Amino acid sequence: MTVLPPSPFSNDPQVAFHRSELGLILGLYGRMVAAGEWRDYGISCLREVAVFSVFRRTAEHPLYRIEKRPKLRLRQGQYAVIGMDGQVLKRGNDLRQVLRVLERKLIRAVD
């Protein structure tokens, strides 16, 4: 009997961002691009996590990662903002509240 490894094209469910979640994230992304802070993004939908990565330049490590882990919704919260160094900046179940940690970067003193 031959045992085959699992196919990469199997029907295992993947975690993905919902349209309303992407609306919030892309709204923040647009404001940060207009401010000249961010330039590129990437989205990864994996088996246990969906990741929205934000880059200052295309060929470097992400500045921030916005992660959705549904398995953590009853514990720490399913959304997290993670910095470049891997530090969790904010975690919770309300995406709008979690993204506020990044919106503070837009607030600047006007001369």
Side-chain angles (χ1 to χ4, degrees), residues 17 20-29 31-32 38 52 54 64-67 79-81 90-92 94-106:
F17 289 105
S20 61
E21 296 166 337
L22 275 177
L24 289 172
I25 294 170
L26 289 174
L28 172 64
Y29 175 78
R31 291 191 302 275
M32 294 299 262
W38 297 349
F52 187 94
V54 177
Y64 300 103
R65 291 187 332 254
I66 302 165
E67 293 187 354
Y79 302 108
V81 174
K90 183 85 173 173
R91 185 182 295 273
D94 183 15
L95 181 59
R96 189 177 311 265
Q97 199 67 9
V98 171
L99 292 178
R100 282 197 180 150
V101 73
L102 297 176
E103 288 180 0
R104 290 185 191 144
K105 310 271 184 207
L106 280 174

Side-chain angles (χ1 to χ4, degrees), residues 10-19 21-22 25 42-52 66-73 77-80:
S10 65
N11 291 333
D12 291 339
Q14 290 182 335
V15 176
F17 289 105
H18 189 266
R19 180 181 224 154
E21 296 166 337
L22 275 177
I25 294 170
I43 299 176
S44 300
C45 298
L46 306 173
R47 190 172 298 168
E48 294 185 13
V49 62
V51 182
F52 187 94
I66 302 165
E67 293 187 354
K68 176 183 178 182
R69 294 182 184 265
K71 286 188 176 181
L72 295 178
R73 76 177 167 270
Q78 66 178 340
Y79 302 108

